[in-house]
Amino acid sequence: MSVTLADVAARAGVSAATVSRVLNGNYPVAGATRTRVLRAVEELEYVVNGPASALAAATSDLIGVLVNDIADPFFGIMAGAVQSEIGQATRKLAIVCNTGGSPERELTYLTLLQRQRASAVVLTGGAVEDAAHGAALATRLRRLDAAGSRVVLCGRPPLATEEDGPHPLALTFDNRGGARRLTEHLLSLGHRRLGYLSGPAARTTTRHRLEGHRAAMAAAGLAADAERLTTHGGYDRASGYDGTLELLRRDPDLTAILAANDTVALGVCAALRDRGLRIPQDVSVTGFDDLPFAVDAVPALTTVRLPLHDAGARAGRLALGREDAPPGGVATFHGDLMVRDSTAPPRP
Amino acid sequence: MSVTLADVAARAGVSAATVSRVLNGNYPVAGATRTRVLRAVEELEYVVNGPASALAAATSDLIGVLVNDIADPFFGIMAGAVQSEIGQATRKLAIVCNTGGSPERELTYLTLLQRQRASAVVLTGGAVEDAAHGAALATRLRRLDAAGSRVVLCGRPPLATEEDGPHPLALTFDNRGGARRLTEHLLSLGHRRLGYLSGPAARTTTRHRLEGHRAAMAAAGLAADAERLTTHGGYDRASGYDGTLELLRRDPDLTAILAANDTVALGVCAALRDRGLRIPQDVSVTGFDDLPFAVDAVPALTTVRLPLHDAGARAGRLALGREDAPPGGVATFHGDLMVRDSTAPPRP
DNA sequence: CTGTTAGCGCGTTCAG
DNA sequence: CTGAACGCGCTAACAG
């Protein structure tokens, strides 16, 4: 079958233990035997048996990265950053798992990762807000922690559960603040009839962004309007398109639309164009995230830039145990308001 | 430490072997003991030890998916399709590895996957065309095959090596045909001065698309122009922007630009706009791939739609051994020409 | 249908 | 600095 440690040992004329020591570099080995062993490894094209090694060492070198939608650059950028940070550390294998936003699959993957005895797990993006799922998730994460896996949340708020015990490290985005600033930006331009296209209900990201928007609206005495001109959809382009038509139905005279994210904003722009409305002369539009394509939208999208890469890289380091935990176990990343061409004062 | 099979067996009052049989469902087990075992599993929150199981069974349930750029939806869509196909099959864990387009990291990941005794490996996207790397890659794939891993290429041409032995299954895209059709479309509109922004040199995808373009140009008696008006860049937006400026320098009167892919086309559009040129009135633009954002470009991009999802799903089934290999081990997916608003006849 | 017995390939004591 | 021996947790024969 496959070549084993023993084969290498035989060929090098040493014991299996010595080969193991050379390969792991944890114990002192004489230079001569060392090179002899390495040559044997080369000649035999020996590749360590990961499972056997994981079994004996009671720890594997897999690190799981869970994403809601692997086809969405929002997650791709974070996952790529995590992985490139981990790629530096040889031997560790960062593996990306796509939950498709499904709570069940999230749980399934966590079990699968626990079963592989993953050394760490990074959960990216917003969480589903559902009591039952939250409890199930907390349980899984507790078990992972108990089994020795490091758990890091990236772009996700700390666990809501009040129970004691180890809380996973959390790197969160200031979604509330970003949405508030976006809304304030529009208000300061003179807008008063703002529509808000919210993301999927029961998601932390959705709720926080909505809260930021409402806070700014309330501060301007427009709480009632904020309520009336909010719709819920997905994080996809179609939701932006359909939502825009719905908003225009509710208020044909609105002068600005805030989209849940950049992708939704693209759908908003398409719908407005199809309706013959100009951006930003007739209606201002904002996105969220500042994904690479946002600057290429026409007109270029005013949005909030989230440090996706930085957050992912830091999550990777935390997962590796290379960096100390932030104070309190939670670090918040703030976004930058990027004012571009899709927003302007409303028509008089 | 962690709860093991033996613990479950003790609690259920059976032997470890019986527990194993219940969990794997491979052997007949009496209904009564079966439920008793399952209850014990629940109560103890038992999770199989993957490495131990892989060691004993000499096979793991990991399937690796290599991508060149995880932040690029082109790969995200394929990887997502592979993974969702595999997610159906419980227990199998599809893991996405991001090579960042680096040949070394590609090899490293393949070794890591071999070390994990992955049951299959899917390589997506174009390959680097370099003799040394090609040989190294072929070697790694041969070893993987020898170790019992299924190897599937998805969106990548069959291995160039002429050696005998097992060639991996290959699902390829008809990049040549797509590029040819795009070029013919522009020629038939009356264009004669076409610029071509090619992708990274030494990549199969790049070369095939370029060949298709040149074939169409040669057929129209424009071989020399094709040569003169071709630049090489990356698959990113900046390459499209810079490349466009370069092409305009070489021929200020060109009437059409074909981009290596949709992302590059976005950069082309931005550069043309900044130069005050209208699309398509002054210059027609085409992309490639038809990623989701292509339809939202302004104007909507004429491009070639590649069946990324279908190819990924099929690769997933092949990796699982659920589907028979295509005849000859190779299947080609053709693209659809999507004529939209970014192309029109040149000005008289 | 179920229990017993051997390893799977490696890391890690403990001696030397 | 090196070798021998043991066990990680599980699956796969082999009996019964």
Side-chain angles (χ1 to χ4, degrees), chain B residues 81-99:
Chain B
V82 174
Q83 215 166 31
S84 76
E85 198 69 29
I86 287 171
Q88 314 299 329
T90 40
R91 309 179 72 115
K92 290 279 182 185
L93 217 196
I95 63 189
V96 179
C97 305
N98 187 31
T99 67

Side-chain angles (χ1 to χ4, degrees), chain A residues 195-283:
Chain A
Y196 189 83
L197 286 184
S198 190
R203 288 288 241 300
T204 52
T205 306
T206 297
R207 182 166 59 80
H208 293 159
R209 290 182 184 178
L210 184 52
E211 285 172 4
H213 168 65
R214 290 199 166 157
M217 291 292 275
L222 295 169
D225 291 23
E227 191 82 29
R228 191 172 54 87
L229 292 180
T230 295
T231 75
H232 274 279
Y235 277 131
D236 55 320
R237 187 241 187 209
S239 297
Y241 194 97
D242 299 342
T244 298
L245 299 184
E246 169 63 22
L247 284 182
L248 286 174
R249 211 168 293 134
R250 293 193 200 166
D251 185 350
D253 297 322
L254 53 75
T255 63
I257 296 181
L258 298 103
N261 68 14
D262 293 342
T263 306
V264 173
L266 242 36
V268 172
C269 292
L272 290 173
R273 269 196 306 277
D274 287 357
R275 277 304 183 87
L277 294 166
R278 294 164 306 163
I279 308 167
Q281 294 88 337
D282 298 320
V283 179

Side-chain angles (χ1 to χ4, degrees), chain B residues 22-347:
Chain B
V22 169
L23 261 26
N24 293 312
N26 296 331
Y27 289 79
V29 174
T33 59
R34 171 186 198 71
T35 53
R36 202 141 40 87
V37 166
L38 289 177
R39 193 151 45 76
V41 167
E42 282 300 318
E43 291 168 353
L44 265 40
E45 298 186 346
Y46 172 68
V47 176
V48 181
N49 183 321
S53 153
L55 173 58
T59 165
S60 96
D61 37 14
L62 294 179
I63 294 182
V65 182
L66 264 58
V67 301
N68 286 343
D69 182 3
I70 198 175
D72 184 339
F74 177 85
F75 293 100
I77 292 169
M78 279 195 290
V82 174
Q83 215 166 31
S84 76
E85 198 69 29
I86 287 171
Q88 314 299 329
T90 40
R91 309 179 72 115
K92 290 279 182 185
L93 217 196
I95 63 189
V96 179
C97 305
N98 187 31
T99 67
S102 148
E104 298 80 41
R105 293 185 62 181
E106 183 168 78
L107 296 177
T108 302
Y109 272 124
L110 288 175
T111 301
L112 244 26
L113 287 166
Q114 182 181 348
R115 162 188 186 130
Q116 297 299 335
R117 301 298 187 260
S119 73
V121 174
V122 179
L123 289 95
T124 65
V128 170
E129 295 199 299
D130 171 76
H133 177 248
L137 183 62
T139 301
R140 286 292 195 305
L141 296 183
R142 190 172 26 70
R143 285 188 205 164
L144 274 165
D145 183 90
S149 301
R150 257 192 214 90
V151 178
V152 181
L153 308 182
C154 179
R156 173 181 297 220
L159 252 43
T161 56
E162 289 306 323
E163 53 174 297
D164 286 337
H167 274 251
L169 302 179
L171 305 180
T172 80
F173 293 125
D174 179 22
N175 285 305
R176 270 194 205 83
R180 187 172 40 67
R181 291 225 296 280
L182 236 18
T183 303
E184 286 169 354
H185 162 66
L186 289 169
L187 290 170
S188 74
L189 285 173
H191 292 274
R192 284 300 173 272
R193 316 182 78 137
L194 320 189
Y196 189 82
L197 287 183
S198 191
R203 287 287 241 301
T204 52
T205 306
T206 297
R207 182 166 60 79
H208 293 158
R209 291 183 184 178
L210 183 52
E211 285 173 3
H213 168 65
R214 291 197 165 158
M217 291 293 274
L222 296 169
D225 291 22
E227 191 83 28
R228 190 172 56 86
L229 292 179
T230 295
T231 75
H232 274 278
Y235 277 131
D236 55 319
R237 186 239 187 210
S239 297
Y241 195 97
D242 298 342
T244 298
L245 299 183
E246 168 62 21
L247 284 183
L248 287 173
R249 210 168 294 132
R250 292 193 200 168
D251 185 349
D253 297 322
L254 54 73
T255 63
I257 296 181
L258 297 102
N261 69 16
D262 293 341
T263 305
V264 172
L266 244 35
V268 172
C269 292
L272 290 174
R273 268 197 306 276
D274 287 358
R275 276 305 184 85
L277 293 167
R278 293 163 308 162
I279 309 168
Q281 294 89 337
D282 299 319
V283 180
S284 285
V285 176
T286 64
F288 208 113
D289 297 340
D290 196 26
L291 296 185
F293 61 75
V295 71
D296 283 313
V298 180
L301 225 46
T302 291
T303 186
V304 165
R305 170 174 297 174
L306 253 30
L308 299 173
H309 192 91
D310 292 350
R314 186 148 172 209
R317 291 193 298 273
L318 287 172
L320 286 171
R322 275 200 181 163
E323 181 172 313
D324 289 337
V330 180
T332 300
F333 287 75
H334 295 273
D336 288 330
L337 180 63
M338 309 296 290
V339 176
R340 294 201 271 246
D341 307 329
S342 68
T343 50
R347 287 205 286 185

Side-chain angles (χ1 to χ4, degrees), chain A:
Chain A
M1 161 91 201
S2 197
V3 26
T4 75
L5 243 203
D7 299 331
V8 177
R11 175 143 189 137
V14 298
S15 76
T18 301
V19 178
S20 170
R21 296 198 259 254
V22 169
L23 261 26
N24 293 312
N26 296 330
Y27 290 79
V29 174
T33 58
R34 172 188 196 70
T35 53
R36 205 141 37 88
V37 166
L38 290 177
R39 194 152 44 77
V41 167
E42 282 301 317
E43 291 168 353
L44 264 39
E45 299 185 344
Y46 172 68
V47 177
V48 181
N49 182 320
S53 153
L55 174 57
T59 165
S60 94
D61 37 14
L62 295 179
I63 294 182
V65 181
L66 263 57
V67 301
N68 285 344
D69 182 2
I70 197 174
D72 184 339
F74 176 85
F75 293 99
I77 292 169
M78 280 195 291
V82 174
Q83 215 167 31
S84 75
E85 198 69 29
I86 286 170
Q88 314 299 329
T90 40
R91 309 177 71 117
K92 291 279 182 184
L93 216 197
I95 62 188
V96 179
C97 305
N98 186 32
T99 67
S102 147
E104 298 80 40
R105 295 184 60 180
E106 183 168 77
L107 296 176
T108 302
Y109 271 124
L110 287 174
T111 301
L112 243 28
L113 287 166
Q114 181 181 348
R115 158 185 190 134
Q116 297 298 334
R117 301 299 187 258
S119 73
V121 174
V122 179
L123 289 96
T124 66
V128 170
E129 295 199 298
D130 171 77
H133 176 249
L137 183 62
T139 301
R140 287 291 196 304
L141 295 184
R142 190 172 29 69
R143 286 188 204 165
L144 274 165
D145 182 272
S149 301
R150 258 192 212 88
V151 178
V152 180
L153 308 182
C154 179
R156 174 180 297 221
L159 252 44
T161 55
E162 290 306 323
E163 55 174 295
D164 286 336
H167 273 252
L169 302 179
L171 305 180
T172 80
F173 294 125
D174 178 21
N175 285 307
R176 270 195 204 82
R180 188 172 41 66
R181 291 225 297 280
L182 236 18
T183 303
E184 287 169 353
H185 162 67
L186 289 169
L187 290 170
S188 74
L189 285 174
H191 292 274
R192 284 300 172 273
R193 313 183 80 137
L194 320 189
Y196 189 83
L197 286 184
S198 190
R203 288 288 241 300
T204 52
T205 306
T206 297
R207 182 166 59 80
H208 293 159
R209 290 182 184 178
L210 184 52
E211 285 172 4
H213 168 65
R214 290 199 166 157
M217 291 292 275
L222 295 169
D225 291 23
E227 191 82 29
R228 191 172 54 87
L229 292 180
T230 295
T231 75
H232 274 279
Y235 277 131
D236 55 320
R237 187 241 187 209
S239 297
Y241 194 97
D242 299 342
T244 298
L245 299 184
E246 169 63 22
L247 284 182
L248 286 174
R249 211 168 293 134
R250 293 193 200 166
D251 185 350
D253 297 322
L254 53 75
T255 63
I257 296 181
L258 298 103
N261 68 14
D262 293 342
T263 306
V264 173
L266 242 36
V268 172
C269 292
L272 290 173
R273 269 196 306 277
D274 287 357
R275 277 304 183 87
L277 294 166
R278 294 164 306 163
I279 308 167
Q281 294 88 337
D282 298 320
V283 179
S284 286
V285 176
T286 63
F288 208 113
D289 297 341
D290 196 26
L291 296 185
F293 60 76
V295 71
D296 284 313
V298 180
L301 224 46
T302 291
T303 186
V304 165
R305 170 174 295 175
L306 252 30
L308 300 173
H309 192 90
D310 292 351
R314 186 149 174 207
R317 290 193 298 274
L318 288 171
L320 286 172
R322 274 199 181 162
E323 182 172 312
D324 290 337
V330 179
T332 300
F333 287 75
H334 295 272
D336 288 329
L337 180 63
M338 309 296 290
V339 176
R340 293 201 273 246
D341 307 328
S342 68
T343 51
R347 286 204 288 186

